[in-house]
Amino acid sequence: CPKCKYSEFDDYGVGNGFDLPDKDCPKCGTKMAKDGMDIPFETFLGFNGDKEPDIDLNFSGEYQAKAHKYTEVIFGKGTTFKAGTVGTVAEQTAFGYVKKYYEERNIPINKAEIARISVGCQGIKRTTGQHPGGIIVVPKGREIYEFTPVQHPADDPNSDIITTHFDYHAIDEDVLKLDILGHSDPTQLRMIQDLTKMDVTKVPLDDKETMNIFLSPEPLGVTKEQIMCNTGTLGIPEFGTKFTIQMVEDTKPTTFAELIKISGLSHGTDVWLGNAQDLIKNKIVPFSEVIGCRDDIMVYLMYNGVEPIKAFKIMEFVRKGKASKDPDTWSEYVQLMKDAKIPDWFIGSCQKIKYMFPKAHAAAYVISAFRIAWFKVHMPVYYYASWLSTKATDFNVEAMIKGYDAIKEAIIEISNKGNEATNKDAGVSESLYLALEATARGIKFENVNLYKSEATTFGVKDDKTIYPPFNSIDGLGDTVAKNIVSEREKREFISIEDLQKRCKISTTLIDKMRLMGILDGMDESSQLSLF
């Protein structure tokens, strides 16, 4: 119930906020929600339509550029521009500039004077760039020059991209900014859909078995010891990193709403560590009541009798981190909340917040994550193949082919390196953990196959077997991988020499492929084959 929080979720065997029965709350008579996340529309446009809307759209990274171009089709030519950024001189850099200036000229100067002069250099333009997903939209009938000059990125006049010359922060209250973001989740979901021929949007978001992987790996048919992880969320977006797995362990979510709260907490600044985490650990409030997303502030205040417009203003003030920057306004808001008998823990939590994630954004991320998690539980081979194809950065394909024990050994070997482990080691370790889990569930990685493996994506042979791609071989890049696939389609390779020449493979890689057994049964030279 949105008003008194009465819950019958467990009675209906579903997750929070989905497919609830249409009826009044038996406790207070309020109409109970059927389908939604309790996100007030006012957080989008304000109570009087006076707030700049924050529109974020997640696209596959491969499709992002097309989505950017398409905005021109929707709004008309000359109305959409990339959001420009201006990098300014920071305090330390300014200090360095002044110090170096006087040192080069052998002019004696003390630190206090350097600090005084450097203030004049701080905040001036140093570089220009562009927001990775921001698109500025100019209203019809208006010119971009009424708001900002424009430029090509890095002053390249041949570039077809035009960005705003002024930093977009300077004009974001005057024109609309769309955030068209590149994300790997839609890429993974698309790959799963292509492999399974199943509509991913039809995945039930109230599946109990999928919900249970946030508590333990048991729904996957494995133990914590087997997969070296206390939850079943390895590789699940929003819930699969060391930091978020620890959050899942601390919070033990049982409803969809709690998953959204975790997503909000992990994306915010000073929202979880030293804030909500302490409230839960010290048993001051249960996890379901802590502030997770910016909308939670407004909704909580409104439910506790604060006037809606004031609740909205407090939410906007807190989510921008102003509570610590503007003590006078904050003390007014504190008094207002105290008059409404808002508890001290809530006020104290608001005061610490520097940035808060919007609930709608968290909900969009979690819906994608839950869909991917459903495939992990019910159609695992497609999950692992898609994760390794779209998310993994580095591989130890030899260990993966050898199976569970070799994978575990390789993980321990990297772990023993401690601080000496490289970024590549971290990437290899991440993919090995997923491979360990897959093999513990009975899924096998076959050797790279010259005629069956793909160039860059893991292929599914059957519901228990995955083919690694050519680019999973250490040192073999995407270009050579694509060469092999394109050449084998033309005609069969008659020898190792023929393969090396046609696909432009180095001798070192050929030796590696020999050792892996990929070239078994092939003649060394074309002459022998012809003979």
Side-chain angles (χ1 to χ4, degrees):
C1 171
K3 192 171 181 184
C4 73
K5 303 295 182 194
Y6 171 79
S7 165
E8 278 192 343
F9 302 140
D10 293 335
D11 298 357
Y12 296 96
V14 293
N16 193 347
F18 283 95
D19 301 314
L20 293 176
D22 267 333
K23 64 173 195 174
D24 296 340
C25 170
K27 207 170 175 186
C28 70
T30 304
K31 178 73 83 180
M32 285 169 71
K34 168 128 179 97
D35 183 22
M37 307 288 173
D38 201 5
I39 303 172
F41 187 73
E42 290 77 14
T43 59
F44 176 56
L45 279 174
F47 277 87
N48 303 309
D50 52 358
K51 176 185 178 284
E52 310 79 50
D54 184 12
I55 302 173
D56 290 4
L57 304 163
N58 294 320
F59 287 90
S60 163
E62 295 169 14
Y63 190 81
Q64 186 188 16
K66 284 185 184 175
H68 282 180
K69 280 274 179 203
Y70 193 65
T71 56
E72 206 170 65
V73 177
I74 298 169
F75 297 107
K77 200 161 179 62
T79 58
T80 61
F81 302 85
K82 277 267 195 176
T85 58
V86 175
T88 58
V89 175
E91 187 180 339
Q92 289 296 321
T93 314
F95 191 91
Y97 284 166
V98 177
K99 190 170 179 242
K100 191 176 179 187
Y101 176 89
Y102 282 93
E103 277 173 0
E104 283 175 350
R105 287 156 181 78
N106 294 317
I107 303 169
I109 186 169
N110 61 42
K111 272 190 175 180
E113 182 63 2
I114 293 174
R116 186 188 71 80
I117 296 169
S118 69
V119 170
C121 301
Q122 287 170 33
I124 61 168
K125 177 178 146 183
R126 188 180 179 194
T127 56
T128 62
Q130 60 185 46
H131 186 283
I135 298 285
I136 297 289
V137 183
V138 181
K140 278 205 172 85
R142 306 300 290 265
E143 288 280 328
I144 185 68
Y145 305 109
E146 294 177 55
F147 305 94
T148 170
V150 293
Q151 66 185 41
H152 294 278
D155 295 325
D156 175 9
N158 300 317
S159 164
D160 63 343
I161 298 165
I162 299 175
T163 67
T164 63
H165 175 73
F166 291 159
D167 185 272
Y168 75 90
H169 287 296
I171 54 171
D172 64 356
E173 292 185 8
D174 310 299
V175 284
L176 173 69
K177 179 171 84 70
L178 301 173
D179 277 334
I180 296 176
L181 308 163
H183 216 253
S184 58
D185 293 4
T187 315
Q188 187 179 359
L189 283 165
R190 181 71 209 197
M191 184 179 172
I192 290 172
Q193 184 163 295
D194 290 342
L195 287 169
T196 61
K197 304 291 182 280
M198 176 181 163
D199 184 352
V200 293
T201 62
K202 299 286 191 288
V203 165
L205 297 171
D206 56 0
D207 184 63
K208 278 230 161 179
E209 275 185 89
T210 307
M211 194 68 230
N212 287 338
I213 69 167
F214 296 91
L215 301 176
S216 100
E218 278 178 31
L220 307 178
V222 289
T223 63
K224 295 173 183 180
E225 293 73 28
Q226 275 178 298
I227 64 165
M228 299 163 77
C229 181
N230 293 332
T231 70
T233 61
L234 265 177
I236 299 299
E238 301 295 298
F239 307 99
T241 63
K242 270 188 180 176
F243 175 69
T244 48
I245 285 172
Q246 189 56 55
M247 281 181 77
V248 168
E249 283 184 54
D250 288 348
T251 54
K252 296 179 176 54
T254 55
T255 64
F256 200 90
E258 287 174 352
L259 296 183
I260 291 172
K261 186 159 282 195
I262 292 171
S263 178
L265 289 165
S266 66
H267 285 278
T269 308
D270 291 348
V271 184
W272 173 246
L273 296 173
N275 197 340
Q277 187 183 39
D278 294 349
L279 292 171
I280 297 161
K281 269 187 182 171
N282 300 327
K283 294 189 167 57
I284 294 167
V285 280
F287 168 58
S288 58
E289 285 183 34
V290 297
I291 304 166
C293 304
R294 62 179 73 158
D295 313 53
D296 292 346
I297 298 170
M298 184 173 104
V299 170
Y300 184 89
L301 293 174
M302 282 166 58
Y303 286 161
N304 285 278
V306 175
E307 193 185 333
I309 190 72
K310 285 176 181 168
F312 174 77
K313 281 181 177 172
I314 293 170
M315 173 190 75
E316 286 292 289
F317 190 81
V318 169
R319 66 112 171 161
K320 291 175 182 173
K322 288 185 178 178
S324 56
K325 296 175 195 165
D326 183 352
D328 295 338
T329 310
W330 178 240
S331 60
E332 286 175 32
Y333 286 146
V334 167
Q335 193 53 54
L336 196 149
M337 288 189 277
K338 283 187 171 174
D339 292 345
K341 295 187 172 53
I342 301 297
D344 289 341
W345 70 262
F346 187 91
I347 297 168
S349 185
C350 286
Q351 193 163 347
K352 292 174 185 171
I353 289 163
K354 297 285 186 297
Y355 166 75
M356 287 224 82
F357 210 48
K359 195 172 183 182
H361 208 147
Y365 278 177
V366 173
I367 288 168
S368 279
F370 200 89
R371 285 171 178 159
I372 290 167
W374 186 90
F375 284 97
K376 182 177 186 175
V377 174
H378 299 286
M379 301 174 84
V381 75
Y382 299 105
Y383 164 75
Y384 293 109
S386 65
W387 187 92
L388 290 161
S389 299
T390 60
K391 309 269 187 177
T393 54
D394 297 284
F395 308 96
N396 178 346
V397 75
E398 290 99 318
M400 289 162 71
I401 292 160
K402 285 174 188 167
Y404 182 86
D405 292 333
I407 295 167
K408 193 167 187 178
E409 207 174 293
I411 289 171
I412 293 164
E413 195 180 313
I414 294 171
S415 179
N416 289 340
K417 289 185 182 180
N419 293 333
E420 288 174 22
T422 62
N423 284 342
K424 185 175 181 176
D425 287 331
V428 170
S429 178
E430 191 182 10
S431 62
L432 284 173
Y433 269 105
L434 267 291
L436 185 80
E437 187 178 83
T439 49
R441 296 179 73 187
I443 291 167
K444 184 181 165 214
F445 292 94
E446 295 236 325
N447 199 352
V448 176
N449 188 298
L450 210 50
Y451 292 99
K452 291 176 183 172
S453 288
E454 299 292 336
T456 58
T457 56
F458 283 72
V460 175
K461 181 183 176 185
D462 54 47
D463 60 2
K464 287 289 178 192
T465 320
I466 292 172
Y467 274 122
F470 293 111
N471 76 339
S472 66
I473 301 168
D474 190 27
L476 197 153
D478 292 0
T479 308
V480 173
K482 286 169 185 171
N483 283 349
I484 298 171
V485 172
S486 118
E487 286 297 324
R488 81 182 180 199
E489 284 169 5
K490 292 175 187 173
R491 63 181 188 277
E492 200 175 322
F493 300 113
I494 59 169
S495 67
I496 295 172
E497 183 189 0
D498 179 45
L499 168 73
Q500 186 172 4
K501 200 178 282 182
R502 280 166 56 193
C503 303
K504 299 177 177 64
I505 306 172
S506 71
T507 307
T508 314
L509 277 170
I510 286 289
D511 290 342
K512 194 173 187 74
M513 290 167 83
R514 264 200 199 95
L515 282 170
M516 287 176 68
I518 299 166
L519 310 178
D520 287 357
M522 283 182 85
D523 287 332
E524 282 294 329
S525 85
S526 302
Q527 280 181 319
L528 279 168
S529 300
L530 288 165
F531 178 75

